[in-house]
Amino acid sequence: EIVLTQSPGTLSLSPGERATLSCRAGQSIGSNYLAWYQHKPGQAPRLLIYGASTRATGISDRFSGSGSGTDFTLTISRLEPEDFAVYYCHQQNNSPWTFGQGTRVEI
Amino acid sequence: QVQLVQSGAEVKKPGASVKVSCKASGYSFTRYYIHWVRQAPGHGLEWMGRINPNTGGINYAQNFQGRVTMTRDTSISTAYMELSSLRPDDTGVYFCARESYSGNCFDYWGQGNRVTVSS
């Protein structure tokens, strides 16, 4: 099983600031198989980034993904109030598909 | 537009079973895998398994093997997930999600089913 470790657990920032979220895999993942989701309470998770760096349809260009191998990053360039949520990385390189434990971005 | 609509909240007693549904619309149901993901209170997302709606082929996560059964009814474009021998720590929200055609992400999600297991 590929373990995904996200850091930090919680990121306390203000609107307008830049957020940098990390996701480290226990073994190398093909870049095409790393995705990021945003999750707000009471809602379904929303796909932000797939293939490590491709924004999903309708996702603001404030969100960007990068990385390869075992180290991946989600960057939110200028936080808007609606960006405060939990973010998960996810791999579909190998079964079982796994998620990181999440990073909470809070005000 | 693509939609996955799940059935309503459930309250069950320990030892019982729960079966939740996920009705797909806006696309060809048999062309995309459906996955199930659980979020327990205070926890992150946990992958439970997936079903190929075309063939009925299944992959289950080891943590749920023996207790989970995933099925589908192609005539009504609906996937089902049944979890048996429920325990209080099975309480949570259960999501269905569509695997993208490229097989590298979950591009659409259902709204979630809250399942509460309590005596």
Side-chain angles (χ1 to χ4, degrees), chain B residues 62-83:
Chain B
Q62 192 165 4
N63 285 352
F64 297 94
Q65 196 90 29
R67 289 204 303 138
V68 69
T69 303
M70 296 179 187
T71 56
R72 90 291 188 215
D73 184 339
T74 57
S75 69
I76 55 171
S77 300
T78 299
Y80 302 92
M81 187 283 297
E82 183 170 19
L83 190 61

Side-chain angles (χ1 to χ4, degrees), chain B residues 33-52:
Chain B
Y33 282 92
I34 291 289
H35 294 246
W36 291 89
V37 175
R38 179 171 80 178
Q39 184 177 36
H43 288 78
L45 302 174
E46 181 179 20
W47 181 74
M48 299 179 67
R50 71 171 183 175
I51 185 167
N52 179 333

Side-chain angles (χ1 to χ4, degrees), chain B residues 16 24 27 30 36 40 44 59 66 70 75 79 90-91 98-99 105 110 115 118:
Chain B
Y27 73 98
T30 56
W36 291 89
N59 301 100
M70 296 179 187
S75 69
D90 289 318
T91 293
R98 189 185 84 163
E99 180 179 311
C105 63
V115 175
S118 173

Side-chain angles (χ1 to χ4, degrees), chain A residues 32-33 35 37 39 43-45 47 50-51 88 90 92 95-97 99 101, chain B residues 35 37 39 43-47 50 95 99 103-107 109-111:
Chain A
N32 195 42
Y33 295 98
Y37 302 88
H39 194 200
Q43 297 184 19
L47 175 66
Y50 62 93
Y88 293 95
H90 164 63
Q92 286 199 222
S95 178
W97 318 151
F99 293 89
Q101 82 277 22
Chain B
H35 294 246
V37 175
Q39 184 177 36
H43 288 78
L45 302 174
E46 181 179 20
W47 181 74
R50 71 171 183 175
F95 295 97
E99 180 179 311
N104 63 354
C105 63
F106 299 157
D107 56 1
W109 294 69
Q111 82 277 19

Side-chain angles (χ1 to χ4, degrees), chain B residues 4-39:
Chain B
L4 299 174
V5 178
Q6 299 184 229
S7 47
E10 303 264 10
V11 179
K12 296 291 182 180
K13 294 195 181 301
S17 296
V18 68
K19 188 173 184 177
V20 300
S21 66
C22 172
K23 182 170 176 59
S25 62
Y27 73 98
S28 177
F29 177 65
T30 56
R31 295 189 67 187
Y32 297 80
Y33 282 92
I34 291 289
H35 294 246
W36 291 89
V37 175
R38 179 171 80 178
Q39 184 177 36

